[in-house]
Amino acid sequence: HVHWTYDTWSLGNGTGRALVAEGGDAWFFIAADYTFGRLLAGDTAQFVTAAGGRVLGTAYTPFPETTDFSSFLLRAQASGAKVIGLANSGTNTINCVKQAAEFGLTARGARLAALLMMITDVHALGLSTVQGLALTESFYWDLNDGTRAFSKRFAPQAGGRMPSMVQAGDYSATLHYLKGVQALGAERAKASGRAVVDAMKALPTEDPLFGAGSVRVDGRKLNPMYLFQVKSPEESKYPWDYYKLVRTIPAHQAFRPLTEGGCSLVRT
């Protein structure tokens, strides 16, 4: 296998460490109660405590049944947390952010950290609701000339929407798969998926979306991660101008070290 774009370790690493360094040293997590949510909250909590911060509590919300997050948000507020970490995704994250704004949590000084949020979620909510939120992504359409060129080809075919990091990752992974097929030859590639993956690991990755990178022996695609802050409506100058780059995390620091992965397929 290969694993592209992000994982819970890289998301927690990017957001957790940085916000503690900026003074956000007291956290409360609202986490979806299934494997993904628990891993995301747990990985981020490790980075928070390693950086000198404290975790004041975690509320696990039934998944996917929860739509009203008011009681969980009020628990987070009552804890005195400086940062409320949202260890969920999609509609759950959108509902949390919307309801936090309705309760005035950020207006009272708490900071929201969406541990997995896409630019399309930001677009759906609007900058007036999401402004100031911190998030980590591996791709942003307006990051450089390469990302902008791809995104301006993508948007007309997607109803004017700019690509999320998952859409960009799908495109990048497919390109690299095709390079592996080309290196092997079509007949050998048809005969063995394992051989294609081995070729993908042997070839360096290179595309305008993620730049130069590699696929590690355990199947992890290595690329930089980026900590962003969502702009205010006044800071946004043109459509989809949503993020301020706060920090770039180099590829060798962005993902769990190979020696800590516990992968039974890797002998180190």
Side-chain angles (χ1 to χ4, degrees), residues 1-223:
H1 78 283
V2 291
H3 188 105
W4 230 260
T5 313
Y6 71 90
D7 60 18
T8 57
W9 196 97
S10 64
L11 296 174
N13 175 38
T15 306
R17 286 185 193 275
L19 293 190
V20 172
E22 292 178 7
D25 56 359
W27 284 61
F28 189 98
F29 290 97
I30 297 175
D33 192 10
Y34 70 113
T35 302
F36 164 75
R38 286 182 172 271
L39 282 173
L40 186 53
D43 282 342
T44 307
Q46 289 183 25
F47 291 113
V48 168
T49 55
R54 295 174 297 142
V55 176
L56 304 180
T58 303
Y60 292 104
T61 64
F63 178 85
E65 295 85 1
T66 307
T67 56
D68 181 359
F69 291 87
S70 56
S71 63
F72 307 110
L73 290 164
L74 291 173
R75 280 177 59 188
Q77 182 183 28
S79 74
K82 297 178 183 178
V83 180
I84 301 172
L86 305 178
N88 47 28
S89 62
T91 303
N92 284 346
T93 302
I94 289 173
N95 285 335
C96 275
V97 173
K98 189 183 299 182
Q99 291 167 26
E102 291 169 356
F103 282 115
L105 266 64
T106 53
R108 297 189 185 100
R111 187 167 187 186
L112 291 182
L115 300 174
L116 177 58
M117 193 172 195
M118 305 295 167
I119 193 169
T120 43
D121 300 329
V122 173
H123 183 76
L125 284 161
L127 294 183
S128 59
T129 299
V130 194
Q131 60 183 314
L133 181 143
L135 71 166
T136 297
E137 298 212 42
S138 58
F139 172 89
Y140 175 46
W141 79 269
D142 205 12
L143 191 63
N144 54 51
D145 289 344
T147 59
R148 282 188 286 272
F150 168 78
S151 300
K152 288 175 181 177
R153 297 197 309 274
F154 176 96
Q157 301 181 62
R161 294 183 297 273
M162 291 300 178
S164 70
M165 69 170 169
V166 169
Q167 291 164 326
D170 287 343
Y171 183 88
S172 172
T174 302
L175 280 181
H176 195 62
Y177 166 78
L178 292 172
K179 290 176 184 176
V181 170
Q182 184 179 45
L184 280 177
E187 291 305 315
R188 287 184 64 198
K190 287 179 183 178
S192 174
R194 181 185 294 274
V196 179
V197 170
D198 287 343
M200 292 174 73
K201 291 177 180 179
L203 292 168
T205 63
E206 178 73 52
D207 60 60
L209 289 75
F210 294 88
S214 62
V215 179
R216 207 164 57 184
V217 63
D218 63 348
R220 179 84 52 196
K221 163 71 165 73
L222 301 181
N223 48 256

